[in-house]
Amino acid sequence: MLQLSRQGRVYAKIEAAYGVQETLAAANAIRHQSIDFPADKFNRETLMEKQTGAGTIAANRVDRRESAGFSLEAVLRAGGAVNTAPELDPFLVAAFGQTTSVALSTTVASGGTTTGATLTSAGGLAVGDPVLITCPDGKKRARFLTSVAGAVVAWAPALPAAPSNGAAVKGSRRYHLTTVNSKSLTIAHYLVKSDLSAGLERQVIGAGVDKMTLNLDANAEPSASFSGDAKSFGDAQTKPGGFTTIGSAPPSGIVGEAMVGSTALLWLKAKIDIENGLWWRKDEAGVATASEMIRAKRRSVGVSLSTHVEDRSLLYDPAIAGTSQALFFQIGFTEGNILAIRVPLFEVKVPKTSDGDDVADWDFAGPANESADAANDAITLAVL
């Protein structure tokens, strides 16, 4: 009986120990656009010996180590409420290395400026944390803390106007990079037959996010893709009895804003790529599948950004001068349905300039660098 991909269900969970299957439940549900589990259980090769015939002898096909992996594409949603982990939390944690959440609901006590204020309470806040600030125009804007001294905080980028005394300020959740990243996943995919009975059910364990891409579009919802190798592939565990989703439909780039430094930026598309440099240990004698996963290579973070050819001072001139710029994106202004990204040091390269018969565009690209050794601040994602 035929099976329908559109009815597929994905579940994923961070593993407590590398390559040890996690039991999946309804709460581990992941809405997705596409998923694949590239795998070869045997990776057979031909034992090359002299022979009379020209063909390959079946008995000379010998086994090699199993290979497995995954790739997933999904819409990037917030959690529906501040500090609620989004649906893609397991993949984001595995990609970035860590998530931090600060449950704080406070107000501006005094001294509000576009770049900071004295709060009624700053309990739990630290440099790098995102906060959600209610602005004089009624919009709720995300900002990232650059200093915390008691209840006195500073943030970046600057707000359009200083918040009023009594303005609401809330802590939130962020995903940030770590020097060590050994977070692995159990991921399962379940199809059903056309009569809704159980169909193909498969899973990988010991999966790591070696590559992640965040896609932002001025006229579409944000999305993310994740991929990497895994320890092993096989039939899935028993399908969970439910499919519990988190968050509502995300806003598109129509609802949001971006900044270079503290200047508003008009943009078309943006993409952020993280390559984690992971390595699966499975090259030694007596080992059939990976025994551990570590970061063996350097991590890289890259940014691509498209704009119309207009204000050259924001990115084009810095590209010519070889200077880095701070980037900020916010998608959505409704609390519980906001995503924000900060890239403090975008090393801008001279862009490609389109030369068609219509509006000219710039395609900027370059690495996102860290401020110091092991600062792990090349990119931060906030869910508010």
Side-chain angles (χ1 to χ4, degrees), residues 106-353:
T106 186
T107 58
V108 173
S110 63
T113 70
T114 58
T115 57
T118 298
L119 305 181
T120 304
S121 170
L125 292 177
V127 171
D129 284 337
V131 291
L132 187 63
I133 306 166
T134 300
C135 296
D137 62 2
K139 290 183 177 180
K140 296 186 177 183
R141 290 183 169 87
R143 291 298 185 262
F144 293 85
L145 297 182
T146 56
S147 71
V148 178
V152 180
V153 300
W155 55 65
L159 293 169
S164 306
N165 289 347
V169 178
K170 293 187 177 183
S172 60
R173 178 178 295 274
R174 64 170 164 142
Y175 294 88
H176 47 110
L177 303 172
T178 55
T179 299
V180 176
N181 186 351
S182 57
K183 299 289 195 307
S184 61
L185 296 157
T186 293
I187 311 169
H189 180 224
Y190 302 86
L191 293 179
V192 294
K193 298 177 182 177
S194 54
D195 65 356
L196 301 184
S197 61
L200 178 66
E201 300 181 344
R202 54 200 180 130
Q203 75 174 22
V204 290
I205 61 173
V209 177
D210 195 32
K211 296 181 180 180
M212 181 191 76
T213 298
L214 299 175
N215 293 296
L216 305 179
D217 192 302
N219 195 37
E221 293 69 33
S223 65
S225 62
F226 309 87
S227 63
D229 288 347
K231 178 178 181 177
S232 64
F233 164 85
D235 290 338
Q237 59 189 274
T238 301
K239 184 179 179 180
F243 192 78
T244 304
T245 58
I246 302 172
S248 58
S252 73
I254 296 173
V255 184
E257 58 191 14
M259 304 182 80
V260 175
S262 293
T263 304
L265 171 71
L266 298 176
W267 58 285
L268 303 171
K269 295 179 185 292
K271 184 177 74 166
I272 295 132
D273 295 300
I274 297 177
E275 294 193 13
N276 271 319
L278 300 181
W279 177 71
W280 282 257
R281 185 174 186 174
K282 57 179 181 179
D283 57 351
E284 295 155 318
V287 176
T289 58
S291 59
E292 63 177 321
M293 179 191 77
I294 63 171
R295 191 197 308 281
K297 301 177 182 178
R298 295 178 187 270
R299 177 184 57 226
S300 65
V301 181
V303 177
S304 301
L305 175 64
S306 298
T307 73
H308 292 314
V309 174
E310 193 168 15
D311 184 352
R312 61 177 287 162
S313 68
L314 294 180
L315 292 171
Y316 188 86
D317 286 347
I320 297 296
T323 57
S324 297
Q325 295 290 89
L327 293 179
F328 170 83
F329 299 92
Q330 178 171 334
I331 308 297
F333 291 112
T334 301
E335 183 176 324
N337 204 15
I338 296 172
L339 300 170
I341 295 171
R342 184 173 187 242
V343 176
L345 291 168
F346 173 38
E347 186 182 317
V348 196
K349 305 294 185 181
V350 175
K352 175 184 177 182
T353 304

Side-chain angles (χ1 to χ4, degrees), residues 81-103:
V82 173
N83 285 307
T84 298
E87 212 166 274
L88 285 173
D89 176 74
F91 291 95
L92 294 172
V93 171
F96 280 87
Q98 186 173 356
T99 183
T100 302
S101 179
V102 179

Side-chain angles (χ1 to χ4, degrees), residues 28 30 41 73 82 197 222:
N28 303 126
I30 304 287
K41 297 292 288 184
E73 296 181 358
V82 173
S197 61

